[in-house]
Amino acid sequence: MHLTLENLQKGFKKTGYICDEETILTVYLSLVLEKPILIEGPPGVGKTEMGKVLAQIYETDLIRLQCYEGLDENKALYEWNYQRQLLKIQLSKHDTETKQLEEDLFSPQYLLQRPLLQAIQAPRKVVLLVDEIDKSDDEFEAFLFEILSDFQVSVPELGTIQAKQIPIVVLTSNSERELSDGLKRRCIFLYLDFPKIEKEIEIIRARVPRAGKILTKEIAKAVNLIRQNAEIRKKPSIAETLDWTRALVSLNKDRLQSSTIKHTLSILLKNRADQRVFHEQIGADNLWERSRSGY
Amino acid sequence: MHDCNVAGKHKKLPDYLENNIIRFACLLRAGGVRIGTSEVIDALQALQFIPLSEKTLFEATLKATLIKKAADQELFKKHFALFFTSPERKRKFQEIHQQKQAEHRARIEEAEKVLSFRGEQMDLSEMDKTVYAYMPARDQKKMQDFLQMNESRNTLSRGYRPFLETIVKGRLNFWYKQLGREIEEELNRPDAGDEELNAIQDAAAGTGRGGYNILTEDMQNIARRDLPRATILIRKMARLLVCRISRRYRSCKSRRKLNLPATIRHSIQYGGIPFRLKYRSRKEKKPQLLLLCDVSGSMIRYTSFVLQFIYGLNAVVKHIESFIFSEGLERITPYFQQGKGFDSIIKTIVEESKEWGGGTSLGKAVRSLILNYEEELNRNTIVIIVSDTRTIRHRDAVKMIRRLQNKVKEIIWLNTLPRGDWDKYTSIQMFQKAANMFPCNTLADLEQVLGKKFLTG
């Protein structure tokens, strides 16, 4: 794809990823400046999806690194294949050329490539998705600096490995902890929030075309109302909105009803405390009435 | 620190796009946004790829490259609208700014005139004069009457002045505490670089949420209309705090360490060849959190914060022990285990607890904790204390805190007393030696606590 703002807009449209112009512009800037894009926002707004969509638009591979507490270079970058190295030592027991053997043992064929190295070594431009970077430790974050700024990594036994192609890097964060200034400085920043009602209607129409017009509008409005309640801890995500829509369509509903809301609430709110808050402070009857008004 | 005054003291840079981007970055920095040179370079590079005639694209480009924190986006929006505006509007800002400065000078001159005795100015600091200048007119009048009364007494000589100064200073100190935010804003607003930027900064301070930043505002002064926003922030921060201190993997300088005995033991099945290397795990046990919140009379103004904080922590951690204290100690953990909403839990606690609004005896409360809840205190427990440190028998309290410190892993003390006041109390210095104390007077303070290195191990 020849990279222009218009082409990128078309690409997003083609993949069915509905977002506003500002989001597309921010992604465009990260691509033209060849800088990683750091996407922050609440869970379920489409941060991870962005990486997948970019891989689709560029018709390339998506290499995903899921971050977690305790993730280190061995799991993210590379590890020596110890077993294979030991076998080689056993097989070469009677060889006298020990220096040659040592050099062989630390050659790329004994290197197990992990996602970061795979992305750098890939023969063509790939999308590297570093998911939930906020879950990793500060130590790992600092280690990412070298890759994200210079697109190269240092393997002590092999030297510096330069990227063959600069990958498209997407980092996502749920803001569980504040990321370092160093990391942020190397990235273009995008904050994705829950969509407005009109955008969510578009998303439902694109993903669940079987849903009727009125039902779609009522669902979008109802979900938006639930999200506005500060007491609800886990706000319904876009994926949950879509699941709810699919469930209602499969129940042959063309409008929201108070009883339907009560019976299917567990698709939207998945913990007991949130469901209790919903019944105490919002209520199915109230939500039904408010979601019908204005349309 | 970035020096924004690149063209010399208060001289405006020529009106080029590049200069304007640099000046805009300076304005944001003065507003508290952290922007480095690399971000400015990114912004300038990015602008080459968009049509500059499209204002929305221009704004979005600057936002994507200069702003790296969701919380700064609102400030960016406000400053963008004020900076990239018509020259007429900017001139208007400058006129208002100059007028305000002139008014300020006139007020100070008036203060100097009034705060004198027998024709000599009193020995008062700039801050004292400023406090007088911004006091309500009725109280200014009271002070004027008091000084005039003394002036008219012929029996009082010039030697009486130091005594009078002490009385005036005491009164002004009272008003400093009342007008803290307004005065600080007036005196400590950072220089944005040139007169025009300072004028825009002034205009920005006078717009939006009553001219104050919810993050830097003393939590007791947060306006009622902003409480829902503050609530969301407090709960989010409580979640972040828990996430930070309960990380099981702590950063460590060395890489994974080889577990030699386990490797050798495992290698026996391969004839002594260490076929699979075994490593030492860095996994730590999740700490047990114990919350100790002061709900005595002096903390009443922070009640809203304390309650939201307790609720926020309990919402994200299943096994947190929560206590409130004033003259005694009360365990409130069971209230949170019923899974009820905030309003109903707090209503029940306030109705049923005897501790609200009492005097403070921290020593007694901690002693009770040690004696009655010993099973909760071990080397894996992290105690979070939320209190302003004002207590009776503070020496006894310090002793008890030390005893507690010996029993638990760590004590994190969130002090609601402003940092500037800490030096005034010897008790705080004593408590500081016994616990890790952090100012927690504003939401920004709480945010800063989260960034402290000690929390990452």
Side-chain angles (χ1 to χ4, degrees), chain B residues 33-80:
Chain B
V33 183
R34 295 177 75 163
I35 299 175
T37 313
S38 65
E39 272 106 352
V40 179
I41 294 169
D42 281 350
L44 291 169
Q45 280 176 344
L47 288 175
Q48 294 171 25
F49 296 99
I50 59 139
L52 293 174
S53 53
E54 298 250 5
K55 197 173 175 181
T56 47
L57 290 185
F58 180 72
E59 183 178 351
T61 303
L62 291 186
K63 191 163 101 178
T65 47
L66 297 177
I67 301 297
K68 304 284 166 84
K69 235 170 138 181
D72 290 337
Q73 291 193 339
E74 203 178 316
L75 189 129
F76 170 88
K77 207 175 160 189
K78 190 158 78 174
H79 283 69
F80 183 89

Side-chain angles (χ1 to χ4, degrees), chain B residues 305-324:
Chain B
F305 159 67
V306 174
L307 292 177
Q308 294 292 356
F309 191 73
I310 301 175
Y311 183 76
L313 281 181
N314 276 279
V316 286
V317 189
K318 277 188 183 152
H319 306 292
I320 184 167
E321 278 296 335
S322 304
F323 296 87
I324 51 173

Side-chain angles (χ1 to χ4, degrees), chain B residues 113-382:
Chain B
K113 215 186 286 173
V114 172
L115 302 172
S116 59
F117 182 66
R118 299 265 187 267
E120 276 181 37
Q121 272 186 28
M122 288 186 174
D123 186 18
L124 299 171
S125 66
E126 275 307 303
M127 179 59 84
D128 289 332
K129 291 175 199 168
T130 313
V131 172
Y132 175 83
Y134 289 88
M135 268 165 60
R138 203 179 61 183
D139 293 273
Q140 279 181 340
K141 179 83 175 56
K142 271 187 197 168
M143 194 173 276
Q144 279 173 30
D145 291 346
F146 170 72
L147 290 171
Q148 269 169 13
M149 187 183 76
N150 284 288
E151 189 87 45
S152 60
R153 285 189 190 165
N154 294 329
T155 48
L156 299 178
S157 66
R158 283 187 179 179
Y160 181 67
R161 205 187 71 181
F163 178 67
L164 207 57
E165 272 170 12
T166 312
I167 298 172
V168 169
K169 276 180 185 171
R171 195 73 203 139
L172 291 174
N173 196 27
F174 167 80
W175 275 104
Y176 172 70
K177 281 180 186 160
Q178 305 297 312
L179 301 168
R181 180 168 62 82
E182 205 177 323
I183 305 271
E184 292 294 336
E185 253 183 27
E186 203 53 53
L187 291 182
N188 297 336
R189 189 166 295 155
D191 186 1
D194 61 48
E195 280 301 309
E196 189 183 279
L197 292 182
N198 285 337
I200 294 172
Q201 216 190 343
D202 239 12
T207 59
R209 297 173 179 276
Y212 79 98
N213 181 348
I214 194 167
L215 281 174
T216 53
E217 182 62 22
D218 188 331
M219 281 186 275
Q220 61 174 312
N221 296 333
I222 289 175
R224 187 168 281 276
R225 67 171 186 277
D226 287 327
L227 275 180
R229 206 167 140 240
T231 303
I232 293 168
L233 283 170
I234 291 168
R235 288 190 194 169
K236 196 177 163 199
M237 287 180 192
R239 188 166 62 89
L240 285 171
L241 181 70
V242 167
C243 170
R244 193 111 207 192
I245 57 186
S246 64
R247 293 214 148 204
R248 289 185 295 166
Y249 289 85
R250 299 283 157 148
S251 56
C252 113
K253 279 177 191 164
S254 60
R255 293 178 67 178
R256 280 201 300 174
K257 282 184 183 153
L258 193 68
N259 187 347
L260 208 56
T263 308
I264 292 170
R265 201 163 46 243
H266 192 77
S267 71
I268 292 168
Q269 58 183 305
Y270 301 111
I273 298 165
F275 200 65
R276 264 182 224 286
L277 298 177
K278 298 278 176 183
Y279 295 99
R280 265 190 207 131
S281 171
R282 287 188 296 147
K283 215 170 183 178
E284 289 183 2
K285 255 177 108 181
K286 280 238 178 212
Q288 179 75 37
L289 296 182
L290 192 145
L291 187 62
L292 200 56
C293 285
D294 186 349
V295 290
S296 60
S298 63
M299 285 286 289
I300 283 293
R301 291 172 304 174
Y302 292 97
T303 308
S304 176
F305 159 67
V306 174
L307 292 177
Q308 294 292 356
F309 191 73
I310 301 175
Y311 183 76
L313 281 181
N314 276 279
V316 286
V317 189
K318 277 188 183 152
H319 306 292
I320 184 167
E321 278 296 335
S322 304
F323 296 87
I324 51 173
F325 72 93
S326 57
E327 282 155 6
L329 180 80
E330 190 174 331
R331 182 169 176 262
I332 52 167
T333 313
Y335 295 106
F336 294 96
Q337 288 169 342
Q338 297 154 8
K340 287 183 183 170
F342 176 74
D343 291 336
S344 101
I345 292 178
I346 298 311
K347 197 169 165 244
T348 323
I349 296 177
V350 174
E351 275 171 7
E352 293 179 9
S353 170
K354 296 170 196 153
E355 299 301 328
W356 293 102
T360 322
S361 178
L362 179 60
K364 199 174 154 194
V366 176
R367 184 177 289 117
S368 164
L369 180 74
I370 293 171
L371 287 176
N372 302 319
Y373 300 96
E374 205 181 355
E375 68 281 2
E376 304 295 342
L377 309 172
N378 54 55
R379 301 306 295 170
N380 199 33
T381 308
I382 292 182

Side-chain angles (χ1 to χ4, degrees), chain A residues 27-275:
Chain A
V27 176
Y28 169 73
L29 290 175
S30 85
L31 294 172
V32 287
L33 296 174
E34 294 193 319
K35 282 190 151 245
I37 182 163
L38 169 64
I39 310 177
E40 268 190 11
V45 289
K47 301 186 292 292
T48 305
E49 193 64 20
M50 179 70 84
K52 295 178 188 171
V53 163
L54 282 173
Q56 277 182 48
I57 292 173
Y58 274 83
E59 293 173 343
T60 187
D61 296 328
L62 172 78
I63 297 175
R64 181 172 179 167
L65 174 65
Q66 178 65 48
C67 296
Y68 53 88
E69 232 180 288
L71 175 69
D72 59 14
E73 300 105 292
N74 291 334
K75 287 166 195 146
L77 186 62
Y78 75 93
E79 195 166 19
W80 288 107
N81 191 339
Y82 300 117
Q83 286 85 349
R84 204 172 163 191
Q85 283 175 326
L86 283 166
L87 281 172
K88 175 76 179 172
I89 294 168
Q90 285 292 303
L91 291 170
S92 319
K93 246 182 184 172
H94 304 295
D95 266 358
T96 44
E97 292 288 326
T98 47
K99 197 178 174 218
Q100 183 60 42
L101 174 65
E102 195 184 326
E103 277 173 16
D104 282 352
L105 282 176
F106 291 103
S107 58
Q109 55 177 319
Y110 290 94
L111 202 66
L112 291 173
Q113 293 191 354
R114 304 293 188 215
L116 293 179
L117 195 58
Q118 278 174 24
I120 278 183
Q121 290 281 67
R124 63 181 188 140
K125 208 179 194 61
V126 292
V127 175
L128 170 65
L129 172 66
V130 184
D131 212 6
E132 301 187 323
I133 177 74
D134 52 328
K135 285 206 167 75
S136 69
D137 305 308
D138 296 356
E139 198 186 25
F140 179 74
E141 201 186 303
F143 156 75
L144 269 182
F145 286 2
E146 186 185 359
I147 300 174
L148 297 184
S149 54
D150 303 326
F151 292 100
Q152 62 175 37
V153 286
S154 306
V155 178
E157 297 86 353
L158 292 178
T160 304
I161 300 174
Q162 293 274 357
K164 288 180 181 163
Q165 292 278 343
I166 292 182
I168 297 165
V169 185
V170 178
L171 296 117
T172 73
S173 163
N174 285 330
S175 316
E176 269 198 12
R177 69 175 173 86
E178 186 73 20
L179 298 174
S180 69
D181 285 348
L183 183 77
K184 286 183 183 170
R185 202 180 309 129
R186 285 162 174 84
C187 301
I188 298 291
F189 181 77
L190 172 66
Y191 183 79
L192 279 185
D193 209 344
F194 287 113
K196 295 203 169 83
I197 297 174
E198 294 71 25
K199 269 287 171 256
E200 196 144 24
I201 290 172
E202 269 186 67
I203 294 170
I204 298 171
R205 277 185 191 155
R207 296 294 177 97
V208 194
R210 284 196 304 139
K213 256 186 177 180
I214 298 172
L215 180 69
T216 303
K217 284 177 183 174
E218 287 179 354
I219 286 175
K221 204 165 181 196
V223 173
N224 186 273
L225 284 166
I226 295 174
R227 284 187 195 133
Q228 280 172 21
N229 188 298
E231 291 289 311
I232 290 182
R233 293 171 205 169
K234 167 69 184 74
K235 313 258 187 260
S237 66
I238 298 172
E240 281 154 345
T241 308
L242 295 174
D243 284 345
W244 196 36
T245 313
R246 285 187 196 109
L248 295 175
V249 169
S250 65
L251 291 169
N252 297 319
K253 302 287 175 195
D254 51 6
R255 295 205 73 158
L256 275 185
Q257 278 162 349
S258 178
S259 58
T260 323
I261 294 173
K262 269 182 209 158
H263 296 145
T264 55
L265 187 67
S266 55
I267 299 174
L268 281 183
L269 301 173
K270 289 174 179 158
N271 72 59
R272 208 161 63 90
D274 282 346
Q275 288 177 4

